[in-house]
Amino acid sequence: MREGSAPLIRREDYAAPAFWIKTVDLTFDLDPAKTLVINKMTVAPNPALPGAPLRLDGEDINLTRVLVDGEPVSFRTEGGQLVLENLPQQPFNLEIRSTCAPEKNTQLSGLYTSSGGFFTQCEALGFRRITYFLDRPDVMATYKVTLKADQRKYPVLLSNGNLVEEGKLDGGKHFAVWEDPHPKPCYLFALVAADLVRREQRIRTRAGRDHLLQIYVRAGDLDKTEHAMNSLIASIAWDEARFGLSLDLERFMVVAVSDFNMGAMENKGLNIFNTKFVLANPATATDVDFGNVESVVAHEYFHNWTGNRVTCRDWFQLSLKEGLTVFRDQQFSQDMAGSPSARAVKRIEDVRTLRQLQFPEDAGPMAHPVRPDSYLAIDNFYTATVYEKGAEVVRMMHTLVGDEGFAQGMALYFERHDGQAVTCDDFAQAIADANPDSELAKRLDAFKRWYAQAGTPRVKVDGVYDAANQIYTLTLSQSCVATPGQPVKAPVVIPVAMGLVAPDGRQLNLHFEGQLASVGHNTVLVLSEPEQAFTFVHVPVEPVPSLLRGFSAPVVLEAELSDDALFTLLSHDQDPFNRWEAAQKLSLRRLLAAVAGSGHVELDARFVEALRGVLRHPELDAAFKELVLTLPSEAYVAEQLDLVDPQRIHAAREGMRLQFAHALHEDWAWAYEQHHELGGYSPDPVSTGRRALANLALGMLVLDGSVRHNPVWTGKALQRFQDANNMTDRLGALSALVNAHAEQAEQALAHFHQQFRGEALVIDKWFSLQALAPEKDGKVFARAKALMLHPDFTLRTPNRARSLLMALCQSNPAAFHRTDAAGYVFWADRVIEIDGINPQLAARLARAMDHWRRLAEPYRTAAREALSRVAARTELSDDVREIVTRALQD
Ligand code: TRP
Ligand code: ZN
């Protein structure tokens, strides 16, 4: 374990390296206990920095020898680095031999073993755990890799690029040689040596080239690879059609591994995936899983251009590849969804994620700009801010320059920077330069503050109607509160897509003062000053403003609309996002009133009727109905408050859910009967929506039945659980029983475990489901704690650890935040325990306490004590130390 000594790394300290590494020839003699690595490099001094020593990064490896141009040289190690001095001033050969112990690598960074095979993960700083190297993304080299391993145990030997040779060796071993013609930073290096089977397909692309696509999995999982293969083929076609970006490799491989810290990794030509984001079939994966596989496969594939062909100069630029690639995968998934309404559903889901993860991050101790200024452990900055807010920043550029302009900007970006390691500024500059007359180009410096400033801007809206002159004036103002290290914020450029809706539901023509013609029903206001007024003429009635349509900017909108106005938007807005948003606001208003007041929601008939109207609506899609009828999460409610009492929020929300369940009983029954499917399974948006709505309805019906001691729906759910022909419906029925704390849940849970005991990803669901149930009398917490002792539980497999611990500590506030502090004690013990195994994973769990300062007493004091106990440990990884010290900082 790295121990607390790393210095803070600052963006402003960036300097070019003193040497470049041009070619790398790696030989691996693979053995779980002791793998020998021979690394032969050609190194060229940077003429700008003559005479500087060469400092190579290394971590947890045993160095055995160093040769310069074939001769052994003396060397020293300093702070983990290998330092070589008095080197030739011309290009030279450097050979380094070292060994490492993959089976002891529980961090899953570098070379490690999983289910008896070898796998690597090098982003961000894993390559230094394999060999000494200039482990930074601006050093790009071509690689030749020779793998040697026992043929029987590791029949498949893979690395980046093309297979150039393979054969047998003595002693039951075999070898393979791979060459990657594309220069790459070492974080994109990968190797796999394991006993795997594959699905493969040959394709010919629009560009007329032939490619071999392969997906490697363990023997029992081949029947779960069809969806990933289809997603990959669709991604390749999409990037060609949309951006003219073709696959630049003869062979593109995807490998699934069950021990993995994150979702997946875009290693050049050899993507390595967490099994959770590759494997899917109807019996074991839910609709949500199918959607995730599609978007993660696309995300990693899109990195082949945005990330790999053009990479990051340094890790502060991470959003250059991640924000852009998330934007691309979101656009792809929307296009795959097809209909306007299915596209809106995807957008609403993305915004929900942003608000649930990124907004709280921006409001807490880990707040950081999309392009951070400093870090202790870069792994801690693979965040919702860098990914999701980064994607919103790219989306705003897209909004400001249009679809065509954005495509031209992308073309210019590749024309300028293909093969380079660049910065976020370079990207924004390319988009702006390709669109010189756009609002983006005109205000580029102000726009780029989105990269530099942390915190979620707030936009206040004031609308004034002058009936006599039929003039409507919208005044928008922006502000952003201080975040750690950034006391003052400058205004940013905020595109506000909008329209005006008449009280009777008509969309009004938008006619700006001083202009000859109207611009139609939709426009984008560009707010770049602290305050700006926009005046519309020929407005026949006092309108309801529909602002931030499609969530055109990652801001909090404070529009103070009346209930009347929100009801108008809910039933009539042409923008489905704002219809959903109106329902969220109406729910939120009621929830917040209850939390601030009696603790209890008294649902008004008008609201109930409006939701009944949505549920019974003859034209709206089921998927959209499900989103509208799902109440804002407890985390989102907490987000709105300065002082958070998680138990009070839980009680109010559960109370409201119960009333909905009862008041709409007949309607839920109707919805269930109308939407639950009996036929074959297909993961398309329409069937997915129908299942989502049917399962929401079933949950409500079982909940209502269980409080009223009416067993009818519990029985139906049990039946459904047994008969379901797909995991979405089986899990939906099981959740309905578990979430209602129905008696029959125990038996169903036991049956489910028995039925799926060989399927790791399904057993993860079994753990999560129990840890996510709505808390009732401390039962959920007690059960989660007991599940730690279950024979299937282990902290060593991140998926399994997360399925129980993240579910409890991060996603179930009412089970976690207890007045007796037991949740925090449990959290601290687990963070410490996991830190000894896998610091990256421990640091993710550590973040569950990010918001302790906003907690009410007695939570706050107890949370601080738990944090302080972790922070006081002498043996703490940099990863966890960074999270807990930031949390405790004033
Ligand atoms: N680049 C990966 C992505 O596409 C992220 C990633 C995968 C990662 N594995 C990691 C980041 C391990 C840090 C550590 O999102
Ligand atoms: Zn990525």
Side-chain angles (χ1 to χ4, degrees), residues 227 231 273 276-278 286-299 329 333 346 349:
H227 183 63
S231 302
F273 273 63
K276 184 173 161 60
F277 297 108
V278 196
T286 61
D287 292 332
V288 171
D289 295 324
F290 273 83
N292 287 342
V293 167
E294 180 181 271
S295 75
V296 178
V297 167
H299 179 97
D329 82 54
S333 292
K346 167 66 178 159
E349 288 166 351

Side-chain angles (χ1 to χ4, degrees), residues 123 264 266 299-300 303 321-322 325-326 387:
E123 187 178 5
E266 70 264 24
H299 179 97
E300 304 312 328
H303 269 316
K321 72 179 178 81
E322 296 305 346
T325 304
V326 170
Y387 278 67

Side-chain angles (χ1 to χ4, degrees), residues 571-767:
S571 14
H572 301 295
D573 200 343
Q574 70 172 42
D575 180 54
F577 178 86
N578 270 359
R579 288 181 84 164
W580 170 78
E581 180 78 330
Q584 291 287 295
K585 289 222 165 99
L586 288 161
S587 306
L588 199 57
R589 191 166 280 178
R590 283 152 180 79
L591 277 167
L592 290 173
V595 172
S598 70
H600 227 79
V601 185
E602 277 309 326
L603 278 189
D604 44 307
R606 190 171 179 201
F607 186 43
V608 173
E609 282 321 306
L611 291 188
R612 192 195 314 277
V614 172
L615 186 52
R616 294 268 191 177
H617 201 286
E619 275 137 37
L620 291 172
D621 283 352
F624 181 75
K625 293 181 178 182
E626 193 266 342
L627 290 172
V628 170
L629 291 155
T630 299
L631 297 182
S633 68
E634 290 172 22
Y636 188 56
V637 177
E639 219 352 66
Q640 321 298 315
L641 298 167
D642 294 325
L643 195 62
V644 175
D645 182 336
Q647 296 301 338
R648 227 178 138 76
I649 295 175
H650 180 63
R653 187 176 183 277
E654 283 304 287
M656 188 158 159
R657 259 183 3 110
L658 259 177
Q659 288 184 55
F660 264 130
H662 192 61
L664 298 181
H665 188 102
E666 294 310 312
D667 311 276
W668 291 122
W670 169 85
Y672 181 73
E673 298 302 346
Q674 289 297 307
H675 294 92
H676 82 278
E677 309 222 357
L678 302 164
Y681 174 88
S682 140
D684 64 88
V686 173
S687 339
T688 294
R690 293 174 63 86
R691 280 187 290 271
L693 186 59
N695 283 321
L696 177 69
L698 186 59
M700 288 301 210
L701 291 159
V702 174
L703 180 65
D704 187 49
S706 76
V707 245
R708 280 160 219 282
H709 306 288
N710 176 349
V712 171
W713 282 98
T714 315
K716 286 200 189 194
L718 203 54
Q719 195 63 46
R720 183 77 174 151
F721 168 72
Q722 282 154 5
D723 298 347
N725 68 358
N726 64 80
M727 181 51 77
T728 306
D729 288 334
R730 194 179 308 282
L731 202 64
L734 182 58
S735 307
L737 295 168
V738 172
N739 291 349
H741 298 279
E743 231 171 79
Q744 294 85 337
E746 294 310 313
Q747 174 202 344
L749 278 167
H751 187 263
F752 187 86
H753 183 272
Q754 172 69 15
Q755 188 175 3
F756 293 102
R757 65 192 180 284
E759 299 282 356
L761 295 172
V762 183
I763 298 303
D764 291 341
K765 297 181 195 306
W766 182 81
F767 278 101

Side-chain angles (χ1 to χ4, degrees), residues 431-446:
I431 305 296
D433 286 353
N435 298 276
D437 300 324
S438 66
E439 292 290 325
L440 177 67
K442 283 185 218 157
R443 306 176 210 284
L444 186 60
D445 287 337

Side-chain angles (χ1 to χ4, degrees), residues 319-503:
S319 198
L320 171 78
K321 72 179 178 81
E322 296 305 346
L324 176 54
T325 304
V326 170
F327 171 71
R328 277 152 53 70
D329 82 54
Q330 290 178 348
Q331 295 281 96
F332 165 77
S333 292
Q334 284 204 340
D335 287 354
M336 293 295 283
S339 75
S341 135
R343 300 176 70 93
V345 164
K346 167 66 178 159
R347 181 64 184 144
I348 292 167
E349 288 166 351
D350 290 342
V351 173
R352 216 164 45 170
T353 308
L354 184 81
R355 284 180 174 162
Q356 224 154 104
L357 300 175
Q358 200 280 324
F359 280 23
E361 183 165 275
D362 242 348
M366 270 295 285
H368 56 276
V370 167
R371 182 190 55 214
D373 292 317
S374 64
Y375 60 76
L376 214 60
I378 186 60
D379 292 327
N380 286 333
F381 288 81
Y382 286 74
T383 56
T385 298
V386 166
Y387 278 67
E388 268 73 36
K389 188 178 180 181
E392 295 299 322
V393 172
V394 176
R395 180 182 300 275
M396 288 188 287
M397 292 191 216
H398 177 266
T399 301
L400 291 171
V401 304
D403 222 19
E404 187 55 32
F406 188 79
Q408 279 163 9
M410 286 282 281
L412 185 59
Y413 174 62
F414 287 111
E415 193 183 308
R416 283 183 182 169
H417 301 299
D418 190 11
Q420 300 175 3
V422 305
T423 63
C424 296
D425 282 331
D426 293 320
F427 178 74
Q429 194 67 51
I431 305 296
D433 286 353
N435 298 276
D437 300 324
S438 66
E439 292 290 325
L440 177 67
K442 283 185 218 157
R443 306 176 210 284
L444 186 60
D445 287 337
F447 183 86
K448 286 199 308 194
R449 291 182 190 134
W450 280 111
Y451 283 112
Q453 289 184 169
T456 306
R458 297 188 161 258
V459 174
K460 254 187 88 114
V461 184
D462 194 22
V464 175
Y465 184 59
D466 169 355
N469 296 301
Q470 303 208 329
I471 291 176
Y472 184 68
T473 306
L474 264 179
T475 306
L476 304 183
S477 59
Q478 59 167 309
S479 64
C480 182
V481 298
T483 54
Q486 289 189 334
V488 194
K489 311 279 180 177
V492 288
V493 179
I494 303 175
V496 180
M498 56 87 61
L500 297 176
V501 182

Side-chain angles (χ1 to χ4, degrees), residues 734 738-739 741 745-746 749-750 752-753 763-774 779-781 783-784 787 790 803-804 807-808 812 815:
L734 182 58
V738 172
N739 291 349
H741 298 279
E746 294 310 313
L749 278 167
F752 187 86
H753 183 272
I763 298 303
D764 291 341
K765 297 181 195 306
W766 182 81
F767 278 101
S768 286
L769 180 70
Q770 298 176 72
L772 287 174
K779 279 193 276 193
V780 175
F781 178 69
R783 175 178 286 244
L787 282 171
H790 192 280
S803 74
L804 184 58
L808 176 73
N812 196 342

